[in-house]
Amino acid sequence: MEYTIKYKAQNTYEASANGALWQFLITPEDNDNQTLEYADFKNSLQVIVENSINAFGFKTYRIQPKQRFQEIQFEAEFKLSKEVVNPFETIPSTDNDETYQLLDTLEFKVEHEQFLRKTPLTSIPKELKNNFSFDLSFSIFENLQRLNAWIYENFKFKANVTDVDSDLTAVLQNMKGVCQDFTHLFCALARANKIPTRYVSGYLHQGQGYEGDSQMHAWAESYIPGSGWVGFDPTNNLIAVENHIKVAHGKDYSDCPPIKGLVYTTGANETSYTVEVFSQQEQQQQQ
C-alpha cells in the first residue's frame, strides 16, 4: 500500500501573540513494514523548522516564531509505503502454561516495566467495577482480541464527552468516548493482566467507514511472547495492520500528543485542523 497524508492546521488569536513555541509529533515512523519516502512541513510565517527527536526516539518538528502574529497556518505532507502483512502468521494458536508463567518472571517484568506501569490516564478507579477479565483457558492473543471486542461492543464513539486530560472515570461512567479513551482503557486492562501495552498515535486510512479517521487516530500495541508487538484498535475492533499508519508510541497520550506548545498572548483563540489520508490507488481514481 502506498499512502499520501496531508495535515493542515490553523491557529487564530484575538490579540497579537508575542512569540510561541510548538512541537509537532506527526511524522510517520520508519519501521519494519512502513517506509517513509517523503516528508514536508511548512508554516505561513516562514519560520525556520527545526528537527528533533523526542524521549521515545520519534521525529518531531519544532518552530519558535519571534515576531508578533495573529494567525499562523501549518501544512505537512507525507508519502509512505506500507507492507501488507498477515499478523496471524506470527501468532501461536495456543499458549501453554509456560507462556503465562513467563509473565510473572522478574526478567520479563523488568524488561517491559515501562509499559506495564499504571499512569494517571491508564488507571481504573477503585470505586468503578471492572467487568472484563482474562480467561486463562484462552491464549494471550485470544484474550486481547476478546478485550478489543468487549470495548468496541460496550462503549459508544462520541466526541466532546471527554478531552485529552480525561482519565478513565468519565469513560467508564458514561460508556462513551473517542479513540484515545478506548486506547487508554485497553492499555489499563491489558496491563492489569500482566501484558506490556503501549499507546500508539498515528493515522487511519480514510473512506473505509472506520470511527476516528477524520483526525489523528489512536490504538494500542501489546507485547505477546514469541510474537512481539501486535496492534489492536478497540475503537473499530480491528487488528492494526495496513490501514493503520504509526507515528509514535508511549505510555499514554501525554507521551505522544500530535502538537504541544506555548503561546504568549491574551484573549480568545481558535484552532482547527484537518487530516487527509488516501492511497495511491484512490488518488489515481480521482484523477
Side-chain angles (χ1 to χ4, degrees), residues 93-95 100 134-143 146:
S93 57
T94 59
D95 288 332
Y100 276 106
F134 272 30
D135 182 340
L136 299 187
S137 67
F138 291 102
S139 69
I140 291 173
F141 178 65
E142 289 170 327
N143 271 306
R146 290 175 61 241

Side-chain angles (χ1 to χ4, degrees), residues 152-209:
Y152 176 76
E153 292 166 1
N154 288 280
F155 293 80
K156 181 179 180 180
F157 185 91
K158 188 173 178 61
N160 303 318
V161 175
T162 58
D163 58 37
V164 295
D165 297 316
S166 295
D167 61 19
L168 291 175
T169 302
V171 181
L172 290 167
Q173 287 178 338
N174 299 321
M175 306 295 282
K176 298 175 183 177
V178 292
C179 56
Q180 69 192 32
D181 302 310
F182 304 150
T183 301
H184 284 147
L185 181 58
F186 187 101
C187 289
L189 292 172
R191 292 172 189 171
N193 285 278
K194 307 175 185 179
I195 309 299
T197 303
R198 55 199 189 191
Y199 180 103
V200 179
S201 173
Y203 302 98
L204 186 59
H205 186 187
Q206 295 173 337
Q208 308 298 306

